[in-house]
């Protein structure tokens, strides 16, 4: 008999931001294939399981997607309860389509457990709603990353608030395009690194400053751009944490 595979969203990082269902299934899992962004604290929720790292990090040596697909199929042939643990939400920039296709082709049952995507967690961490009545009524989540055999996609979404995932190295090019399109130079930008983790870092700047680039990051970086990111007049300072603080 084939096992069942659960694609579970781990959320942005903090172990207590996973859903109750996700935590319950982790505690029942026999094997967990987990991403590089999954924290050790999250893995403490599945100590009984065999753990397999299939981390994928941009610009770093990592498991090929085809290998991950193969390992998932093999795991379902050996175990009854298989968890594929992904950072954020599996259905948003989580390559769920490739894994679903591979599992479905082998007749393996799959269930998806959503997670808190980083954009929502970053809005909460900065106390900056991504929509604001009379200011911003639309939001787009996007990434500049493409499949290896696909060309770069220079077009940007036409929306009030832009949220760029994996935006560390590509954010400057995004800012340059927006400035060329006529967006104002002092448009608010909020950058969140290592969202919800102990070493979370929040940076506030303008579109013109962003066009000059960001310093080297030490973790996943999310870039939020738009009028809705304007700091409120009486807003308290960010509870930003520096590494080691």
């Amino acid at each position: 008999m084939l096992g069942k595979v659960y694609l579970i969203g781990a959320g942005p990082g903090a172990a207590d931001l996973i859903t109750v269902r996700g935590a319950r299934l982790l505690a029942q899992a026999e094997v967990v294939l987990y991403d590089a962004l999954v924290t050790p604290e999250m893995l403490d929720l599945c100590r009984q399981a065999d753990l397999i790292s299939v981390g994928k990090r941009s610009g770093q040596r990592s498991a090929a997607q085809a290998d991950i697909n193969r390992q998932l199929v093999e795991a379902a042939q050996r175990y009854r309860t298989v968890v594929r643990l992904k950072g954020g939400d599996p259905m948003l920039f989580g390559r769920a389509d490739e894994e679903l296709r591979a599992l479905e082709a082998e007749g393996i049952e799959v269930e998806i457990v959503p997670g808190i995507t980083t954009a929502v967690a970053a809005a909460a961490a900065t106390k900056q709603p991504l929509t604001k009545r009379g200011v911003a009524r639309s939001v787009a989540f996007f990434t500049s990353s493409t499949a290896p055999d696909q060309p770069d996609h220079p077009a940007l979404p036409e929306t009030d608030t832009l949220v760029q995932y994996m935006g560390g190295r590509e954010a400057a090019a995004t800012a340059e395009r927006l400035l060329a399109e006529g967006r104002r130079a002092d448009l608010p930008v909020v950058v969140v690194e290592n969202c919800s983790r102990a070493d979370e870092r929040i940076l506030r700047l303008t579109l013109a400053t962003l066009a000059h680039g960001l310093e080297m990051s030490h973790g996943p970086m999310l870039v939020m751009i738009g009028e809705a990111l304007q700091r409120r007049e009486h807003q308290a300072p960010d509870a930003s944490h520096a590494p080691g603080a």
Side-chain angles (χ1 to χ4, degrees):
M1 292 181 60
L2 294 173
K4 182 174 179 178
V5 176
Y6 296 86
L7 303 187
I8 298 178
D16 57 356
L17 286 181
I18 193 172
T19 64
V20 173
R21 181 184 294 182
R24 174 174 57 81
L25 289 169
L26 275 179
Q28 298 172 357
E30 296 176 23
V31 61
V32 176
L33 295 86
Y34 64 95
D35 276 348
L37 297 180
V38 172
T39 63
E41 292 76 16
M42 187 72 68
L43 295 177
D44 283 342
L45 301 177
C46 52
R47 294 180 180 178
Q48 80 292 341
D50 293 334
L51 301 178
I52 301 175
S53 172
V54 291
K56 295 187 71 62
R57 292 294 297 271
S58 176
Q60 299 182 22
R61 185 176 180 180
S62 56
Q65 188 61 52
D67 290 337
I68 296 174
N69 297 346
R70 175 184 52 77
Q71 289 182 77
L72 278 172
V73 170
E74 291 176 352
Q77 293 169 342
R78 294 179 54 198
Y79 300 88
R80 290 176 300 173
T81 305
V82 180
V83 166
R84 171 70 171 102
L85 190 60
K86 297 170 171 288
D89 180 89
M91 307 300 272
L92 190 65
F93 306 128
R95 306 197 184 196
D97 182 67
E98 292 98 320
E99 294 175 8
L100 285 168
R101 288 175 182 270
L103 293 166
E104 290 167 349
E106 299 296 329
I108 297 169
E109 185 180 0
V110 185
E111 180 178 325
I112 297 168
V113 180
I116 297 174
T117 190
T118 306
V120 176
T126 59
K127 297 182 175 65
Q128 281 311 153
L130 300 178
T131 59
K132 188 181 297 185
R133 188 163 59 173
V135 176
R137 60 192 297 266
S138 59
V139 182
F141 300 161
F142 76 102
T143 175
S144 297
S145 300
T146 58
D149 58 342
Q150 296 293 318
D152 291 340
H153 197 295
L156 295 175
E158 295 183 7
T159 187
D160 296 322
T161 305
L162 285 163
V163 180
Q164 185 168 15
Y165 280 67
M166 298 165 276
R169 290 182 297 179
E170 293 84 6
T174 296
E176 290 174 354
R177 292 190 191 110
L178 290 172
L179 289 170
E181 292 174 3
R183 297 284 190 114
R184 60 186 180 89
D186 61 346
L187 189 68
V189 175
V190 179
V191 179
V192 182
E193 181 183 355
N194 291 320
C195 182
S196 83
R197 305 181 187 207
D199 57 350
E200 176 183 274
R201 192 164 63 103
I202 298 170
L203 177 65
R204 292 179 181 269
L205 57 160
T206 65
L207 191 63
T209 306
L210 180 63
H212 294 294
L214 294 168
E215 63 184 51
M216 181 68 68
S217 65
H218 300 284
M221 187 171 283
L222 189 91
V223 180
M224 305 185 290
I225 305 169
E227 300 288 353
L229 282 305
Q230 184 68 51
R231 186 191 287 270
R232 295 183 299 282
E233 183 179 352
H234 300 293
Q235 185 173 350
D238 295 309
S240 182
H241 304 283

PDB file of all heavy atoms in Angstrom, residues 157-175:
ATOM      1  N   PRO A 157       3.685  43.715 -11.696  1.00  0.00           N
ATOM      2  CA  PRO A 157       2.230  43.788 -11.559  1.00  0.00           C
ATOM      3  C   PRO A 157       1.774  45.238 -11.416  1.00  0.00           C
ATOM      4  O   PRO A 157       2.463  46.071 -10.815  1.00  0.00           O
ATOM      5  CB  PRO A 157       1.947  42.994 -10.277  1.00  0.00           C
ATOM      6  CG  PRO A 157       3.172  42.174 -10.036  1.00  0.00           C
ATOM      7  CD  PRO A 157       4.308  42.952 -10.597  1.00  0.00           C
ATOM      8  N   GLU A 158       0.614  45.547 -11.977  1.00  0.00           N
ATOM      9  CA  GLU A 158       0.018  46.868 -11.819  1.00  0.00           C
ATOM     10  C   GLU A 158      -0.928  46.809 -10.628  1.00  0.00           C
ATOM     11  O   GLU A 158      -2.049  46.312 -10.726  1.00  0.00           O
ATOM     12  CB  GLU A 158      -0.717  47.280 -13.093  1.00  0.00           C
ATOM     13  CG  GLU A 158       0.207  47.461 -14.290  1.00  0.00           C
ATOM     14  CD  GLU A 158      -0.529  47.945 -15.524  1.00  0.00           C
ATOM     15  OE1 GLU A 158      -1.739  48.260 -15.402  1.00  0.00           O
ATOM     16  OE2 GLU A 158       0.090  48.010 -16.593  1.00  0.00           O
ATOM     17  N   THR A 159      -0.470  47.295  -9.492  1.00  0.00           N
ATOM     18  CA  THR A 159      -1.222  47.174  -8.256  1.00  0.00           C
ATOM     19  C   THR A 159      -0.817  48.280  -7.297  1.00  0.00           C
ATOM     20  O   THR A 159       0.193  48.954  -7.513  1.00  0.00           O
ATOM     21  CB  THR A 159      -0.966  45.793  -7.629  1.00  0.00           C
ATOM     22  OG1 THR A 159      -1.825  45.601  -6.510  1.00  0.00           O
ATOM     23  CG2 THR A 159       0.467  45.652  -7.191  1.00  0.00           C
ATOM     24  N   ASP A 160      -1.594  48.469  -6.238  1.00  0.00           N
ATOM     25  CA  ASP A 160      -1.278  49.526  -5.281  1.00  0.00           C
ATOM     26  C   ASP A 160      -0.090  49.159  -4.398  1.00  0.00           C
ATOM     27  O   ASP A 160       0.801  49.969  -4.168  1.00  0.00           O
ATOM     28  CB  ASP A 160      -2.504  49.807  -4.397  1.00  0.00           C
ATOM     29  CG  ASP A 160      -3.676  50.351  -5.191  1.00  0.00           C
ATOM     30  OD1 ASP A 160      -3.439  51.151  -6.115  1.00  0.00           O
ATOM     31  OD2 ASP A 160      -4.828  49.983  -4.895  1.00  0.00           O
ATOM     32  N   THR A 161      -0.087  47.928  -3.887  1.00  0.00           N
ATOM     33  CA  THR A 161       0.993  47.475  -3.017  1.00  0.00           C
ATOM     34  C   THR A 161       1.698  46.299  -3.671  1.00  0.00           C
ATOM     35  O   THR A 161       1.058  45.347  -4.105  1.00  0.00           O
ATOM     36  CB  THR A 161       0.454  47.043  -1.640  1.00  0.00           C
ATOM     37  OG1 THR A 161      -0.302  48.106  -1.066  1.00  0.00           O
ATOM     38  CG2 THR A 161       1.597  46.690  -0.699  1.00  0.00           C
ATOM     39  N   LEU A 162       3.015  46.377  -3.735  1.00  0.00           N
ATOM     40  CA  LEU A 162       3.835  45.305  -4.306  1.00  0.00           C
ATOM     41  C   LEU A 162       4.595  44.605  -3.186  1.00  0.00           C
ATOM     42  O   LEU A 162       5.174  45.262  -2.311  1.00  0.00           O
ATOM     43  CB  LEU A 162       4.842  45.873  -5.297  1.00  0.00           C
ATOM     44  CG  LEU A 162       4.319  46.310  -6.669  1.00  0.00           C
ATOM     45  CD1 LEU A 162       5.330  47.213  -7.345  1.00  0.00           C
ATOM     46  CD2 LEU A 162       4.042  45.092  -7.544  1.00  0.00           C
ATOM     47  N   VAL A 163       4.590  43.286  -3.229  1.00  0.00           N
ATOM     48  CA  VAL A 163       5.347  42.504  -2.259  1.00  0.00           C
ATOM     49  C   VAL A 163       6.233  41.543  -3.033  1.00  0.00           C
ATOM     50  O   VAL A 163       5.746  40.649  -3.722  1.00  0.00           O
ATOM     51  CB  VAL A 163       4.422  41.725  -1.302  1.00  0.00           C
ATOM     52  CG1 VAL A 163       5.259  40.932  -0.305  1.00  0.00           C
ATOM     53  CG2 VAL A 163       3.477  42.665  -0.572  1.00  0.00           C
ATOM     54  N   GLN A 164       7.535  41.759  -2.930  1.00  0.00           N
ATOM     55  CA  GLN A 164       8.490  40.943  -3.674  1.00  0.00           C
ATOM     56  C   GLN A 164       9.108  39.896  -2.760  1.00  0.00           C
ATOM     57  O   GLN A 164       9.809  40.216  -1.795  1.00  0.00           O
ATOM     58  CB  GLN A 164       9.584  41.812  -4.290  1.00  0.00           C
ATOM     59  CG  GLN A 164      10.539  41.026  -5.184  1.00  0.00           C
ATOM     60  CD  GLN A 164      11.444  41.933  -6.012  1.00  0.00           C
ATOM     61  OE1 GLN A 164      11.571  43.124  -5.742  1.00  0.00           O
ATOM     62  NE2 GLN A 164      12.072  41.368  -7.027  1.00  0.00           N
ATOM     63  N   TYR A 165       8.828  38.637  -3.073  1.00  0.00           N
ATOM     64  CA  TYR A 165       9.444  37.529  -2.349  1.00  0.00           C
ATOM     65  C   TYR A 165      10.850  37.296  -2.889  1.00  0.00           C
ATOM     66  O   TYR A 165      11.121  37.545  -4.059  1.00  0.00           O
ATOM     67  CB  TYR A 165       8.618  36.255  -2.539  1.00  0.00           C
ATOM     68  CG  TYR A 165       7.397  36.147  -1.658  1.00  0.00           C
ATOM     69  CD1 TYR A 165       6.323  37.021  -1.824  1.00  0.00           C
ATOM     70  CD2 TYR A 165       7.314  35.178  -0.660  1.00  0.00           C
ATOM     71  CE1 TYR A 165       5.193  36.924  -1.026  1.00  0.00           C
ATOM     72  CE2 TYR A 165       6.190  35.068   0.142  1.00  0.00           C
ATOM     73  CZ  TYR A 165       5.133  35.941  -0.044  1.00  0.00           C
ATOM     74  OH  TYR A 165       4.019  35.843   0.748  1.00  0.00           O
ATOM     75  N   MET A 166      11.730  36.800  -2.009  1.00  0.00           N
ATOM     76  CA  MET A 166      13.118  36.511  -2.403  1.00  0.00           C
ATOM     77  C   MET A 166      13.699  37.734  -3.107  1.00  0.00           C
ATOM     78  O   MET A 166      14.328  37.641  -4.161  1.00  0.00           O
ATOM     79  CB  MET A 166      13.163  35.267  -3.306  1.00  0.00           C
ATOM     80  CG  MET A 166      12.656  34.008  -2.610  1.00  0.00           C
ATOM     81  SD  MET A 166      12.288  32.637  -3.740  1.00  0.00           S
ATOM     82  CE  MET A 166      10.609  33.082  -4.262  1.00  0.00           C
ATOM     83  N   GLY A 167      13.476  38.886  -2.494  1.00  0.00           N
ATOM     84  CA  GLY A 167      13.767  40.140  -3.170  1.00  0.00           C
ATOM     85  C   GLY A 167      15.109  40.766  -2.870  1.00  0.00           C
ATOM     86  O   GLY A 167      15.357  41.889  -3.307  1.00  0.00           O
ATOM     87  N   GLY A 168      15.960  40.096  -2.138  1.00  0.00           N
ATOM     88  CA  GLY A 168      17.215  40.719  -1.747  1.00  0.00           C
ATOM     89  C   GLY A 168      18.042  41.255  -2.899  1.00  0.00           C
ATOM     90  O   GLY A 168      18.340  42.451  -2.975  1.00  0.00           O
ATOM     91  N   ARG A 169      18.397  40.396  -3.845  1.00  0.00           N
ATOM     92  CA  ARG A 169      19.274  40.803  -4.939  1.00  0.00           C
ATOM     93  C   ARG A 169      18.512  41.493  -6.068  1.00  0.00           C
ATOM     94  O   ARG A 169      19.087  42.288  -6.815  1.00  0.00           O
ATOM     95  CB  ARG A 169      20.023  39.586  -5.484  1.00  0.00           C
ATOM     96  CG  ARG A 169      21.064  39.038  -4.529  1.00  0.00           C
ATOM     97  CD  ARG A 169      21.806  37.873  -5.111  1.00  0.00           C
ATOM     98  NE  ARG A 169      20.927  36.736  -5.372  1.00  0.00           N
ATOM     99  CZ  ARG A 169      21.349  35.588  -5.912  1.00  0.00           C
ATOM    100  NH1 ARG A 169      22.614  35.457  -6.271  1.00  0.00           N
ATOM    101  NH2 ARG A 169      20.509  34.601  -6.103  1.00  0.00           N
ATOM    102  N   GLU A 170      17.221  41.185  -6.205  1.00  0.00           N
ATOM    103  CA  GLU A 170      16.447  41.718  -7.325  1.00  0.00           C
ATOM    104  C   GLU A 170      15.713  43.014  -6.993  1.00  0.00           C
ATOM    105  O   GLU A 170      15.147  43.652  -7.878  1.00  0.00           O
ATOM    106  CB  GLU A 170      15.425  40.673  -7.796  1.00  0.00           C
ATOM    107  CG  GLU A 170      16.023  39.434  -8.418  1.00  0.00           C
ATOM    108  CD  GLU A 170      16.433  38.395  -7.384  1.00  0.00           C
ATOM    109  OE1 GLU A 170      16.134  38.630  -6.189  1.00  0.00           O
ATOM    110  OE2 GLU A 170      17.043  37.392  -7.754  1.00  0.00           O
ATOM    111  N   ALA A 171      15.704  43.404  -5.727  1.00  0.00           N
ATOM    112  CA  ALA A 171      14.890  44.550  -5.314  1.00  0.00           C
ATOM    113  C   ALA A 171      15.332  45.851  -5.973  1.00  0.00           C
ATOM    114  O   ALA A 171      14.502  46.698  -6.311  1.00  0.00           O
ATOM    115  CB  ALA A 171      14.924  44.694  -3.797  1.00  0.00           C
ATOM    116  N   ALA A 172      16.636  46.042  -6.150  1.00  0.00           N
ATOM    117  CA  ALA A 172      17.130  47.275  -6.766  1.00  0.00           C
ATOM    118  C   ALA A 172      16.604  47.413  -8.197  1.00  0.00           C
ATOM    119  O   ALA A 172      16.184  48.506  -8.613  1.00  0.00           O
ATOM    120  CB  ALA A 172      18.658  47.298  -6.747  1.00  0.00           C
ATOM    121  N   ALA A 173      16.617  46.317  -8.954  1.00  0.00           N
ATOM    122  CA  ALA A 173      16.108  46.361 -10.325  1.00  0.00           C
ATOM    123  C   ALA A 173      14.616  46.663 -10.338  1.00  0.00           C
ATOM    124  O   ALA A 173      14.126  47.402 -11.202  1.00  0.00           O
ATOM    125  CB  ALA A 173      16.375  45.027 -11.018  1.00  0.00           C
ATOM    126  N   THR A 174      13.887  46.132  -9.367  1.00  0.00           N
ATOM    127  CA  THR A 174      12.458  46.438  -9.248  1.00  0.00           C
ATOM    128  C   THR A 174      12.247  47.921  -9.009  1.00  0.00           C
ATOM    129  O   THR A 174      11.393  48.560  -9.636  1.00  0.00           O
ATOM    130  CB  THR A 174      11.835  45.626  -8.094  1.00  0.00           C
ATOM    131  OG1 THR A 174      11.914  44.232  -8.400  1.00  0.00           O
ATOM    132  CG2 THR A 174      10.383  46.013  -7.877  1.00  0.00           C
ATOM    133  N   ALA A 175      13.031  48.485  -8.096  1.00  0.00           N
ATOM    134  CA  ALA A 175      12.904  49.914  -7.789  1.00  0.00           C
ATOM    135  C   ALA A 175      13.223  50.767  -9.017  1.00  0.00           C
ATOM    136  O   ALA A 175      12.529  51.756  -9.298  1.00  0.00           O
ATOM    137  CB  ALA A 175      13.832  50.279  -6.633  1.00  0.00           C
TER     138      ALA A 175
END
